[in-house]
PDB file of all heavy atoms in Angstrom:
ATOM      1  N   ILE B 125       9.617   8.874  17.953  1.00 98.00           N
ATOM      2  CA  ILE B 125      10.632   8.142  17.201  1.00 98.00           C
ATOM      3  C   ILE B 125      11.626   9.174  16.676  1.00 98.00           C
ATOM      4  O   ILE B 125      11.225  10.185  16.088  1.00 98.00           O
ATOM      5  CB  ILE B 125      10.018   7.371  16.011  1.00 98.00           C
ATOM      6  CG1 ILE B 125       8.964   6.370  16.506  1.00 98.00           C
ATOM      7  CG2 ILE B 125      11.107   6.665  15.191  1.00 98.00           C
ATOM      8  CD1 ILE B 125       8.204   5.649  15.397  1.00 98.00           C
ATOM      9  N   PHE B 126      12.906   8.944  16.935  1.00 97.00           N
ATOM     10  CA  PHE B 126      13.937   9.854  16.428  1.00 97.00           C
ATOM     11  C   PHE B 126      15.003   9.074  15.674  1.00 97.00           C
ATOM     12  O   PHE B 126      15.366   7.972  16.076  1.00 97.00           O
ATOM     13  CB  PHE B 126      14.591  10.625  17.574  1.00 97.00           C
ATOM     14  CG  PHE B 126      13.805  11.821  18.011  1.00 97.00           C
ATOM     15  CD1 PHE B 126      12.768  11.685  18.923  1.00 97.00           C
ATOM     16  CD2 PHE B 126      14.087  13.079  17.502  1.00 97.00           C
ATOM     17  CE1 PHE B 126      12.017  12.782  19.321  1.00 97.00           C
ATOM     18  CE2 PHE B 126      13.350  14.189  17.887  1.00 97.00           C
ATOM     19  CZ  PHE B 126      12.314  14.044  18.807  1.00 97.00           C
ATOM     20  N   TYR B 127      15.476   9.655  14.588  1.00 97.00           N
ATOM     21  CA  TYR B 127      16.596   9.088  13.840  1.00 97.00           C
ATOM     22  C   TYR B 127      17.861   9.783  14.313  1.00 97.00           C
ATOM     23  O   TYR B 127      17.929  11.015  14.311  1.00 97.00           O
ATOM     24  CB  TYR B 127      16.383   9.288  12.340  1.00 97.00           C
ATOM     25  CG  TYR B 127      15.105   8.650  11.877  1.00 97.00           C
ATOM     26  CD1 TYR B 127      13.974   9.414  11.606  1.00 97.00           C
ATOM     27  CD2 TYR B 127      15.007   7.265  11.783  1.00 97.00           C
ATOM     28  CE1 TYR B 127      12.783   8.817  11.234  1.00 97.00           C
ATOM     29  CE2 TYR B 127      13.825   6.653  11.410  1.00 97.00           C
ATOM     30  CZ  TYR B 127      12.719   7.434  11.139  1.00 97.00           C
ATOM     31  OH  TYR B 127      11.534   6.845  10.781  1.00 97.00           O
ATOM     32  N   VAL B 128      18.829   8.995  14.736  1.00 96.00           N
ATOM     33  CA  VAL B 128      20.056   9.568  15.300  1.00 96.00           C
ATOM     34  C   VAL B 128      21.127   9.614  14.221  1.00 96.00           C
ATOM     35  O   VAL B 128      21.342   8.638  13.507  1.00 96.00           O
ATOM     36  CB  VAL B 128      20.526   8.714  16.499  1.00 96.00           C
ATOM     37  CG1 VAL B 128      21.773   9.325  17.128  1.00 96.00           C
ATOM     38  CG2 VAL B 128      19.411   8.583  17.524  1.00 96.00           C
ATOM     39  N   LYS B 129      21.772  10.766  14.122  1.00 92.00           N
ATOM     40  CA  LYS B 129      22.832  10.910  13.111  1.00 92.00           C
ATOM     41  C   LYS B 129      24.019  11.641  13.710  1.00 92.00           C
ATOM     42  O   LYS B 129      23.883  12.360  14.696  1.00 92.00           O
ATOM     43  CB  LYS B 129      22.301  11.711  11.921  1.00 92.00           C
ATOM     44  CG  LYS B 129      21.217  10.962  11.154  1.00 92.00           C
ATOM     45  CD  LYS B 129      20.972  11.563   9.795  1.00 92.00           C
ATOM     46  CE  LYS B 129      19.977  10.732   9.014  1.00 92.00           C
ATOM     47  NZ  LYS B 129      18.628  11.259   9.001  1.00 92.00           N
ATOM     48  N   VAL B 130      25.181  11.409  13.105  1.00 89.00           N
ATOM     49  CA  VAL B 130      26.371  12.137  13.542  1.00 89.00           C
ATOM     50  C   VAL B 130      26.841  12.997  12.377  1.00 89.00           C
ATOM     51  O   VAL B 130      26.938  12.528  11.247  1.00 89.00           O
ATOM     52  CB  VAL B 130      27.514  11.176  13.933  1.00 89.00           C
ATOM     53  CG1 VAL B 130      28.697  11.957  14.491  1.00 89.00           C
ATOM     54  CG2 VAL B 130      27.016  10.167  14.946  1.00 89.00           C
ATOM     55  N   GLN B 131      27.053  14.275  12.677  1.00 83.00           N
ATOM     56  CA  GLN B 131      27.556  15.169  11.651  1.00 83.00           C
ATOM     57  C   GLN B 131      28.640  16.026  12.286  1.00 83.00           C
ATOM     58  O   GLN B 131      28.421  16.630  13.325  1.00 83.00           O
ATOM     59  CB  GLN B 131      26.405  16.049  11.134  1.00 83.00           C
ATOM     60  CG  GLN B 131      26.669  16.646   9.763  1.00 83.00           C
ATOM     61  CD  GLN B 131      25.467  17.439   9.264  1.00 83.00           C
ATOM     62  OE1 GLN B 131      24.887  18.225  10.003  1.00 83.00           O
ATOM     63  NE2 GLN B 131      25.083  17.220   8.031  1.00 83.00           N
ATOM     64  N   ASP B 132      29.803  16.070  11.667  1.00 80.00           N
ATOM     65  CA  ASP B 132      30.950  16.817  12.207  1.00 80.00           C
ATOM     66  C   ASP B 132      31.173  16.500  13.687  1.00 80.00           C
ATOM     67  O   ASP B 132      31.314  17.415  14.501  1.00 80.00           O
ATOM     68  CB  ASP B 132      30.746  18.334  12.029  1.00 80.00           C
ATOM     69  CG  ASP B 132      30.445  18.706  10.587  1.00 80.00           C
ATOM     70  OD1 ASP B 132      31.016  18.061   9.695  1.00 80.00           O
ATOM     71  OD2 ASP B 132      29.634  19.620  10.367  1.00 80.00           O
ATOM     72  N   ASN B 133      31.186  15.239  14.007  1.00 79.00           N
ATOM     73  CA  ASN B 133      31.436  14.796  15.382  1.00 79.00           C
ATOM     74  C   ASN B 133      30.357  15.169  16.387  1.00 79.00           C
ATOM     75  O   ASN B 133      30.535  15.015  17.587  1.00 79.00           O
ATOM     76  CB  ASN B 133      32.776  15.342  15.893  1.00 79.00           C
ATOM     77  CG  ASN B 133      33.850  14.285  15.780  1.00 79.00           C
ATOM     78  OD1 ASN B 133      33.569  13.094  15.960  1.00 79.00           O
ATOM     79  ND2 ASN B 133      35.056  14.706  15.465  1.00 79.00           N
ATOM     80  N   GLU B 134      29.253  15.689  15.881  1.00 85.00           N
ATOM     81  CA  GLU B 134      28.180  16.099  16.777  1.00 85.00           C
ATOM     82  C   GLU B 134      26.989  15.183  16.555  1.00 85.00           C
ATOM     83  O   GLU B 134      26.639  14.889  15.418  1.00 85.00           O
ATOM     84  CB  GLU B 134      27.805  17.548  16.459  1.00 85.00           C
ATOM     85  CG  GLU B 134      27.019  18.209  17.548  1.00 85.00           C
ATOM     86  CD  GLU B 134      26.447  19.555  17.094  1.00 85.00           C
ATOM     87  OE1 GLU B 134      26.559  19.891  15.901  1.00 85.00           O
ATOM     88  OE2 GLU B 134      25.872  20.228  17.946  1.00 85.00           O
ATOM     89  N   VAL B 135      26.403  14.726  17.672  1.00 90.00           N
ATOM     90  CA  VAL B 135      25.242  13.847  17.548  1.00 90.00           C
ATOM     91  C   VAL B 135      23.983  14.703  17.482  1.00 90.00           C
ATOM     92  O   VAL B 135      23.820  15.638  18.251  1.00 90.00           O
ATOM     93  CB  VAL B 135      25.143  12.903  18.768  1.00 90.00           C
ATOM     94  CG1 VAL B 135      23.941  11.967  18.619  1.00 90.00           C
ATOM     95  CG2 VAL B 135      26.420  12.106  18.931  1.00 90.00           C
ATOM     96  N   PHE B 136      23.119  14.406  16.522  1.00 92.00           N
ATOM     97  CA  PHE B 136      21.818  15.057  16.542  1.00 92.00           C
ATOM     98  C   PHE B 136      20.746  14.037  16.209  1.00 92.00           C
ATOM     99  O   PHE B 136      21.034  12.937  15.757  1.00 92.00           O
ATOM    100  CB  PHE B 136      21.771  16.283  15.625  1.00 92.00           C
ATOM    101  CG  PHE B 136      21.768  15.964  14.157  1.00 92.00           C
ATOM    102  CD1 PHE B 136      20.578  15.764  13.486  1.00 92.00           C
ATOM    103  CD2 PHE B 136      22.962  15.873  13.459  1.00 92.00           C
ATOM    104  CE1 PHE B 136      20.567  15.467  12.136  1.00 92.00           C
ATOM    105  CE2 PHE B 136      22.962  15.569  12.095  1.00 92.00           C
ATOM    106  CZ  PHE B 136      21.767  15.374  11.442  1.00 92.00           C
ATOM    107  N   ALA B 137      19.497  14.399  16.486  1.00 96.00           N
ATOM    108  CA  ALA B 137      18.396  13.474  16.237  1.00 96.00           C
ATOM    109  C   ALA B 137      17.290  14.212  15.520  1.00 96.00           C
ATOM    110  O   ALA B 137      17.072  15.402  15.742  1.00 96.00           O
ATOM    111  CB  ALA B 137      17.887  12.907  17.552  1.00 96.00           C
ATOM    112  N   LYS B 138      16.597  13.467  14.636  1.00 95.00           N
ATOM    113  CA  LYS B 138      15.548  14.080  13.826  1.00 95.00           C
ATOM    114  C   LYS B 138      14.225  13.357  14.078  1.00 95.00           C
ATOM    115  O   LYS B 138      14.161  12.136  14.029  1.00 95.00           O
ATOM    116  CB  LYS B 138      15.948  13.960  12.355  1.00 95.00           C
ATOM    117  CG  LYS B 138      15.121  14.813  11.445  1.00 95.00           C
ATOM    118  CD  LYS B 138      15.668  14.766  10.039  1.00 95.00           C
ATOM    119  CE  LYS B 138      14.665  15.455   9.132  1.00 95.00           C
ATOM    120  NZ  LYS B 138      15.075  15.503   7.751  1.00 95.00           N
ATOM    121  N   CYS B 139      13.202  14.144  14.358  1.00 96.00           N
ATOM    122  CA  CYS B 139      11.897  13.574  14.693  1.00 96.00           C
ATOM    123  C   CYS B 139      11.264  12.904  13.467  1.00 96.00           C
ATOM    124  O   CYS B 139      11.184  13.491  12.393  1.00 96.00           O
ATOM    125  CB  CYS B 139      10.973  14.668  15.237  1.00 96.00           C
ATOM    126  SG  CYS B 139       9.302  14.086  15.600  1.00 96.00           S
TER     127      CYS B 139
END
Side-chain angles (χ1 to χ4, degrees):
Chain B
I125 301 175
F126 278 84
Y127 301 104
V128 182
K129 293 196 175 101
V130 185
Q131 201 177 46
D132 306 324
N133 261 325
E134 197 190 7
V135 181
F136 72 89
K138 193 174 171 179
C139 177

